[in-house]
Amino acid sequence: MISEPHKIKAVRKVNFTSFRERLQALKAADLNCFKISNNLVTFDLTSQGTSAMSQEQFSGLFIGDEAYAGSRNFEHLQSSVQDILGHKYVCPTHNLNGCHKLISTTMVNEGDVVFSNSMAQRELVYERRAEIKQMSNESIPDFTGNLGPAQLQEELSRGVQVSYIYVELFADGYRPVSISNLMEIKKIAEKNDTKVIINASRIIGNACYIRENEPEYTGWQIDAIVKEMVNNSHVCVIDAGQDPRSNVGGLISTDDLELHEKFQNEVVVYEGLHTYGGMAGRTMEVLALGLREMVNEDQANWIAEQVQRFASRLEGIPFYTGSDGVYIKADEFLPNANSHQAHTLACALYLKSGIRVFLNDRFSDEKILPIQVPRLALTNKQLLQISEVVNELYLESRKVKGLVLVSEPEWHDEAEFEWEIPDVSEYVFDCEPHTIAMIEYVGITSLKERESEVKKADYNTFLLPSDKVKIDLLTDSGTSAMSIEQWQVYIGSRETPATSEASLEFVSTIQEITGYKYIIPTHQGRAAEHIMSQVLIETGYVPGNMYFTTTKLHQEMAGGTFTDVIVDEAHQPTSDFPWKGNIDLNKLKGLVEKFGARSLPYISFEASVNMAGGQPFSMDNAREVYEFCKAHGIPVMFDATRVAENAYMIKKKNPRYKNTPIGEIVKELFSYGDGCTVSSKKDFLVNICGFLAFRDNKEYYKRSLSMLRKYEGSVANGGMSAGDMAAHSQGAREMVQEEYIRARVEQTNYLGEKLLEAGVPIVQPPGTHAIFLDAKRFLPHIDQDQFPAQALAAALYVKTGVRSMERGNVSKGRNPETGENYRPALELVRLTIPRRVYTNNHMDEVANGIIELYQDRDSIKGLKFTYEPPKLRFFQGRFEEIP
């Protein structure tokens, strides 16, 4: 599997810390990593409760009821248990400890013995004055979690009083169990009138392992293997924070009514009512959905593959591969640490990099340290760099001496140590500055299905249903993944059509970023374009650094004529000129000389020019244009939709700005203009919103507000919700964070470089928000009036499931005087990368698909219109292939 079977819906900012901060945190925590607050942790490498949820699970937080008895959430949980696990009865608990408490209370008596492949429930067994005997079958090296049937039968034949047989799937995290062993154990149990309880918290990892290593189950679906394992037990317990990807919760399931009734009698004593068991209704909903999602084939395979990739990158390190990560043999890893090696290794990893691993059980001189991968929450690039941390530390391991215990702990979480701080090098991460909090499943389709879908959509990618698209690169407009912080302020906002806290912050934040006095909120960018055009244009010519479709339309509707004054290099896809977004000052001067400055209502100056391939303008050009226009009384109005991306390119390409913060570069850019329109659905990291701003022109502001009231909404919200405005303010702060904007633009460059290396023709150099395929060079056999870019976009979807957008002859439209297509110099397919939504694995899949299509390019046919809308024809136009 090349890429994730999902995209990112919400992200959580990563906390990058300094070596000094980490050293202070370790000392404050008594050198016990468990005690370090997670705001000082870069990556928290535990799999319990740290997974990314799906958007369906998140929506489950608001579905159903918090009824004390008989809630709909409990009914949903029952249904999921019956469908996925195959058990009829379910008893909810607050977590796995709750499961163990109910089982020990109902099934364990003084003097009993529990046979098990792990010691997971020893505390509660001992509390009942019973004994737990751990046994394993070392004769089957592939399944080290198996119990020995002969040994078990021998023990039972002695007439001991057995409470139950407890089998933990993937015992201790790294010892898998076979189905054949479960079958044998169940037969022995029934023969001896006892029960088999399985801990199925890691059942999916065990199922994937069985399919690979137990020949009888090769080719089986994950859901079938899961049912087969549960069927070979009498009772099943699950920690909801593991495979179901909830943050808390648990359950006990069974077909044994008598046992179930015992559990119910005790749950009301220790947990809560039998229909919620110590879980909130919302948690039961999340768990119910997580049970169904955990058997998704693609998801299960991806989780297993991430673990295997991570393990494969560890070089010479002693470890066991588990279901959810690697389990390092700390005593072998640290040859000069004579005691408390696992705790010592945890401290060394945190000191070096900020990653946190820890021990959390009864205190012992533990030799194994788990480094677990939170399910669906990390990217492969992040895991690659985490593996580099481990590898580098291994090379420095002889520098690390063991911790010295200075307390008398009963539990790992209360241990206190002293340490001779080792001289290890610091690891600095440069991966994505966020982890994944919420995912959205994507459309996985076959070639035959895509061939059918593209015909239904009449070869227009805008008309494809999104659930049939795997990787959606149609646009970056409104498709960003918002951060958890944005969601927090969104939910916490109070709605009103009048002035609100959110609307005041919306205005003040934009004033701070732009330096402009007058801010007009609009529901999105084209509304701002409409108002600006109507206010500033009566007639005349509007010079701009290349057209944009909606901008040009609004200029024309207001009586203006768009005139292109971008540098010539912008129309040359193979040119490596770094500032293709620049305005050609000589062209601008020529317009003034020919028509006079008063015939130019304003200059339309777009940051990271979309139709040129996401190409930036330089700071020097912005200043020169502004100085010229100011001298001639011509307003400069930015399309600042992608201003942060343009600022990053200035920082990257202009040595003068190498050490200048992005926010300061943005502010300087705005200082060379008189106002701007913004579609905030791009750089400002929101799904809706926009604004129009003027530096100090009160007359423009008052006229704009009059139009706002008629077309948009109140002057306080411009047709937006308070929640969206609050998220906008937070997004404005996030867009200028150095780590974010670097990761965003460099991901685009990553895709571009892969295509260039393979000889695929694209607009050069790679831009900021998208990679543009050059359809003229990609499909030289198709005439421009047969719309090669449209044909290429359709063919790319069929080949790969990737949706892209035409930006060429179809988008430019027809000359109103001649009726002929404009046939623009650039005939492009735009691969627009949504912000924080896809990983570089997705980019690898996109690149591979395009490279394969390029090798088969001669098979692509031209198109002709079957329906041509009069305006913005690329949105709803319909086509058919030309034989």
Side-chain angles (χ1 to χ4, degrees):
M1 186 180 292
I2 298 174
S3 71
E4 296 89 334
H6 54 264
K7 58 184 179 181
I8 303 168
K9 191 73 171 185
V11 299
R12 181 174 283 108
K13 187 176 184 296
V14 169
N15 302 311
F16 294 111
T17 55
S18 67
F19 193 92
R20 182 178 179 182
E21 287 173 320
R22 296 194 293 271
L23 182 57
Q24 290 174 341
L26 274 172
K27 290 179 178 179
D30 302 311
L31 296 163
N32 186 334
C33 289
F34 179 89
K35 299 180 184 181
I36 298 172
S37 175
N38 61 1
N39 67 303
L40 296 171
V41 171
T42 303
F43 295 111
D44 214 348
L45 299 182
T46 176
S47 62
Q48 203 278 330
T50 56
S51 300
M53 292 186 191
S54 69
Q55 63 177 359
E56 289 77 14
Q57 285 179 296
F58 261 93
S59 67
L61 297 173
F62 304 95
I63 291 174
D65 51 54
E66 294 293 341
Y68 193 75
S71 73
R72 293 190 296 277
N73 307 112
F74 176 66
E75 293 173 358
H76 296 163
L77 180 58
Q78 283 182 307
S79 176
S80 290
V81 167
Q82 290 163 4
D83 292 346
I84 304 304
L85 303 181
H87 275 165
K88 185 175 181 180
Y89 305 112
V90 58
C91 180
T93 64
H94 78 284
N95 63 14
L96 186 62
N97 286 8
C99 297
H100 290 160
K101 177 62 175 175
L102 296 184
I103 287 170
S104 65
T105 303
T106 56
M107 299 180 71
V108 180
N109 297 307
E110 184 175 349
D112 280 2
V113 176
V114 172
F115 294 105
S116 177
N117 65 345
S118 83
M119 301 295 284
Q121 9 83 76
R122 63 181 179 273
E123 296 300 330
L124 296 176
V125 172
Y126 293 159
E127 189 178 80
R128 302 287 293 179
R129 298 180 183 277
E131 181 184 358
I132 183 167
K133 284 191 175 182
Q134 184 173 2
M135 54 176 55
S136 60
N137 186 357
E138 301 295 340
S139 64
I140 305 178
D142 287 339
F143 289 96
T144 54
N146 282 2
L147 279 79
Q151 182 187 2
L152 178 62
Q153 183 59 63
E154 182 181 349
E155 291 279 357
L156 291 172
S157 67
R158 296 173 182 170
V160 296
Q161 182 60 40
V162 181
S163 300
Y164 52 82
I165 301 166
Y166 185 94
V167 182
E168 181 181 0
L169 303 181
F170 251 116
D172 303 318
Y174 59 91
R175 297 190 294 116
V177 177
S178 69
I179 290 180
S180 60
N181 186 246
L182 282 175
M183 289 178 173
E184 288 185 87
I185 299 305
K186 186 181 180 185
K187 288 178 182 177
I188 293 171
E190 290 177 343
K191 180 180 177 181
N192 289 273
D193 195 26
T194 190
K195 306 293 184 184
V196 174
I197 298 175
I198 63 167
N199 179 344
S201 302
R202 296 184 175 97
I203 194 169
I204 301 303
N206 209 124
C208 290
Y209 188 88
I210 283 171
R211 187 161 59 183
E212 294 296 319
N213 294 279
E214 198 165 1
E216 300 92 320
Y217 299 96
T218 300
W220 279 44
Q221 294 293 297
I222 292 295
D223 59 351
I225 297 176
V226 165
K227 278 190 175 178
E228 186 74 0
M229 283 190 281
V230 176
N231 184 55
N232 282 285
S233 71
H234 302 97
V235 178
C236 174
V237 299
I238 289 183
D239 179 349
Q242 294 288 355
D243 280 346
R245 303 185 350 273
S246 178
N247 49 14
V248 73
L251 65 84
I252 307 173
S253 69
T254 185
D255 281 335
D256 189 318
L257 179 58
E258 182 181 353
L259 265 181
H260 176 63
E261 288 177 341
K262 290 181 179 180
F263 297 147
Q264 285 190 311
N265 288 334
E266 296 298 329
V267 76
V268 298
V269 177
Y270 295 104
E271 293 289 293
L273 202 66
H274 62 280
T275 55
Y276 73 89
M279 278 191 284
R282 60 180 174 270
T283 305
M284 284 194 288
E285 193 70 31
V286 169
L287 173 52
L289 290 161
L291 287 170
R292 294 186 182 279
E293 293 173 358
M294 74 181 188
V295 296
N296 176 290
E297 283 287 328
D298 293 316
Q299 176 175 290
N301 290 337
W302 179 255
I303 291 170
E305 185 170 315
Q306 273 207 314
V307 171
Q308 291 300 322
R309 283 193 193 188
F310 178 54
S312 69
R313 289 165 176 157
L314 300 180
E315 300 169 359
I317 291 170
F319 68 90
Y320 302 108
T321 302
S323 68
D324 53 0
V326 298
Y327 291 72
I328 294 185
K329 302 174 185 179
D331 55 335
E332 298 179 29
F333 191 106
L334 298 175
N336 291 339
N338 297 321
S339 62
H340 311 296
Q341 293 95 337
H343 276 288
T344 303
L345 179 54
C347 286
L349 288 168
Y350 177 77
L351 181 64
K352 182 177 179 66
S353 67
I355 65 175
R356 196 248 294 268
V357 289
F358 57 86
L359 300 175
N360 182 28
D361 206 333
R362 186 169 289 278
F363 187 81
S364 64
D365 194 6
E366 181 61 59
K367 308 298 184 187
I368 301 295
L369 182 70
I371 300 183
Q372 297 168 331
V373 179
R375 296 165 182 83
L376 309 181
L378 300 180
T379 70
N380 276 353
K381 185 175 182 180
Q382 289 167 341
L383 287 173
L384 170 62
Q385 295 192 0
I386 291 168
S387 71
E388 289 174 354
V389 171
V390 181
N391 287 331
E392 285 187 15
L393 183 61
Y394 188 54
L395 295 176
E396 300 175 294
S397 62
R398 294 189 178 277
K399 299 178 181 179
V400 182
K401 296 182 179 179
L403 294 171
V404 177
L405 186 66
V406 295
S407 64
E408 296 180 356
E410 187 176 351
W411 301 89
H412 281 297
D413 59 50
E414 59 186 3
E416 299 175 8
F417 300 95
E418 290 180 349
W419 197 25
E420 183 179 323
I421 304 300
D423 181 24
V424 295
S425 61
E426 180 177 14
Y427 186 93
V428 179
F429 288 97
D430 66 351
C431 54
E432 299 91 341
H434 54 261
T435 56
I436 303 167
M438 177 168 42
I439 65 163
E440 177 184 347
Y441 294 111
V442 298
I444 307 295
T445 54
S446 66
L447 176 63
K448 186 175 181 180
E449 287 174 313
R450 294 194 295 274
E451 288 173 341
S452 173
E453 290 297 332
V454 82
K455 289 178 181 177
K456 291 179 188 176
D458 295 301
Y459 297 90
N460 187 340
T461 54
F462 275 97
L463 304 180
L464 290 166
S466 63
D467 65 346
K468 303 298 182 183
V469 174
K470 183 173 185 184
I471 301 175
D472 203 341
L473 305 185
L474 184 76
T475 181
D476 62 338
S477 180
T479 57
S480 298
M482 291 210 305
S483 68
I484 291 299
E485 290 76 15
Q486 286 178 289
W487 282 110
Q488 286 173 339
V489 296
Y490 178 91
I491 293 170
S493 298
R494 291 182 290 178
E495 292 298 334
T496 177
T499 301
S500 67
E501 183 181 12
S503 67
L504 292 174
E505 186 185 22
F506 180 89
V507 170
S508 64
T509 303
I510 296 170
Q511 288 173 331
E512 172 61 27
I513 288 171
T514 63
Y516 297 162
K517 182 176 181 180
Y518 297 116
I519 311 300
I520 300 103
T522 62
H523 80 276
Q524 64 177 48
R526 71 191 59 184
E529 291 174 346
H530 172 227
I531 293 172
M532 180 184 69
S533 298
Q534 294 296 322
V535 169
L536 270 66
I537 299 173
E538 291 183 5
T539 186
Y541 300 89
V542 184
N545 55 341
M546 199 170 283
Y547 80 99
F548 185 68
T549 51
T550 58
T551 311
K552 178 174 177 286
L553 177 63
H554 283 297
Q555 291 166 351
E556 293 171 347
M557 290 171 63
T561 301
F562 170 78
T563 306
D564 194 354
V565 292
I566 201 167
V567 293
D568 290 340
E569 289 90 341
H571 297 283
Q572 301 164 7
T574 58
S575 169
D576 281 326
F577 183 60
W579 306 111
K580 285 186 175 182
N582 278 2
I583 284 177
D584 187 324
L585 207 54
N586 289 327
K587 291 181 182 179
L588 181 58
K589 290 176 180 177
L591 278 179
V592 172
E593 291 171 1
K594 184 175 182 179
F595 299 110
R598 296 185 64 182
S599 67
L600 276 59
Y602 65 90
I603 305 297
S604 180
F605 206 170
E606 182 182 0
S608 289
V609 183
N610 193 349
M611 301 298 282
Q615 300 296 319
F617 57 72
S618 70
M619 189 72 82
D620 291 338
N621 185 246
R623 184 181 62 256
E624 291 166 1
V625 169
Y626 182 66
E627 289 172 352
F628 172 81
C629 290
K630 187 175 182 179
H632 290 80
I634 306 169
V636 174
M637 298 297 293
F638 286 117
D639 178 345
T641 293
R642 298 183 177 88
V643 67
E645 293 174 5
N646 202 121
Y648 174 77
M649 296 301 265
I650 289 172
K651 183 181 180 76
K652 180 180 179 178
K653 296 185 177 188
N654 188 333
R656 295 203 317 268
Y657 293 90
K658 180 180 179 180
N659 297 316
T660 306
I662 292 294
E664 292 183 18
I665 298 174
V666 166
K667 201 157 191 176
E668 183 179 346
L669 278 177
F670 278 120
S671 74
Y672 301 132
D674 298 289
C676 67
T677 61
V678 167
S679 172
S680 303
K681 296 159 63 176
K682 285 84 169 178
D683 268 4
F684 284 74
L685 295 167
V686 287
N687 306 125
I688 199 71
C689 285
F691 64 87
L692 168 62
F694 296 107
R695 177 196 291 274
D696 53 16
N697 194 308
K698 189 173 183 178
E699 178 60 25
Y700 287 163
Y701 175 62
K702 291 176 66 177
R703 289 171 61 192
S704 296
L705 290 182
S706 295
M707 289 193 65
L708 186 79
R709 294 181 182 100
K710 290 189 292 185
Y711 291 103
E712 290 296 297
S714 83
V715 295
N717 64 27
M720 292 181 286
S721 72
D724 284 317
M725 287 190 288
H728 185 283
S729 298
Q730 177 62 25
R733 291 186 282 268
E734 293 176 8
M735 78 172 184
V736 294
Q737 292 171 353
E738 302 281 332
E739 298 90 353
Y740 155 70
I741 195 65
R742 180 177 64 249
R744 189 281 183 282
V745 178
E746 292 304 329
Q747 185 179 58
T748 305
N749 186 69
Y750 176 84
L751 175 59
E753 291 300 328
K754 288 187 77 71
L755 293 175
L756 284 172
E757 288 172 9
V760 176
I762 68 170
V763 172
Q764 298 171 244
T768 61
H769 72 293
I771 295 301
F772 289 72
L773 302 178
D774 185 353
K776 284 185 177 179
R777 288 186 291 148
F778 201 113
L779 301 175
H781 61 286
I782 299 178
D783 183 79
Q784 198 166 5
D785 279 340
Q786 294 181 1
F787 311 118
Q790 189 74 38
L792 179 54
L796 178 60
Y797 169 74
V798 172
K799 178 73 175 178
T800 65
V802 174
R803 173 158 64 171
S804 57
M805 179 194 295
E806 184 271 357
R807 277 296 181 237
N809 207 12
V810 176
S811 292
K812 188 70 181 283
R814 294 184 183 274
N815 186 316
E817 296 179 0
T818 66
E820 298 294 323
N821 292 311
Y822 275 112
R823 296 176 68 96
L826 297 178
E827 182 75 14
L828 309 174
V829 171
R830 188 180 76 179
L831 305 165
T832 332
I833 303 174
R835 294 160 185 81
R836 305 192 294 207
V837 170
Y838 295 113
T839 70
N840 281 358
N841 297 102
H842 290 108
M843 298 303 103
D844 290 338
E845 184 162 346
V846 171
N848 292 346
I850 292 171
I851 292 166
E852 289 182 16
L853 184 63
Y854 186 58
Q855 294 167 351
D856 191 35
R857 58 192 178 276
D858 291 341
S859 65
I860 300 173
K861 300 176 181 178
L863 301 174
K864 63 180 180 180
F865 273 109
T866 59
Y867 166 66
E868 183 177 355
K871 295 177 181 178
L872 301 176
R873 62 185 186 173
F874 59 91
F875 282 129
Q876 298 181 55
R878 295 181 180 274
F879 306 85
E880 65 181 10
E881 284 188 332
I882 298 172

